[in-house]
Amino acid sequence: MKMRVAVLLAVIAMFCAADAQKCALDGLMSSLTESVASAVLQKVTLSCISVSARGSLADCPAGYKPTGCSCGNACGSWDIRNDQTCHCQCANQDWTAARCCKIALK
């Protein structure tokens, strides 16, 4: 199977190299890619929530991942720890917020 895919890709590359200005397969490949992406995106949904906590740490609930953090006291330095927790790096933080998202099947 891997060999067939490799041969197909080699044939496409040779075919397109003959006419670098316009490859006849460009439209087909683009349409195929768009169709597959559209089919996948129709089956999933992105769900996001905001979580805030006192101090320098804000944990996302199970199943969610932090996508961004916000810190009190005008602190702009933060990081994400253990793929689950927003951490504000400035001293004496009064609050920390996390934007937590998950991808789910519809």
Side-chain angles (χ1 to χ4, degrees), residues 3-78:
M3 184 60 138
R4 289 181 185 170
V5 171
V7 170
L8 177 62
L9 291 175
V11 169
I12 290 171
M14 288 186 297
F15 182 75
C16 290
D19 184 6
Q21 295 295 322
K22 178 68 177 156
C23 177
L25 294 178
D26 281 348
L28 176 63
M29 294 303 288
S30 178
S31 295
L32 180 61
T33 302
E34 288 175 15
S35 296
V36 170
S38 178
V40 169
L41 291 175
Q42 287 177 3
K43 295 179 182 178
V44 297
T45 183
L46 179 65
S47 174
C48 298
I49 58 171
S50 294
V51 175
S52 62
R54 291 205 168 282
S56 62
L57 300 173
D59 292 314
C60 289
Y64 286 83
K65 299 295 180 190
T67 59
C69 307
S70 182
C71 307
N73 297 327
C75 176
S77 297
W78 54 267

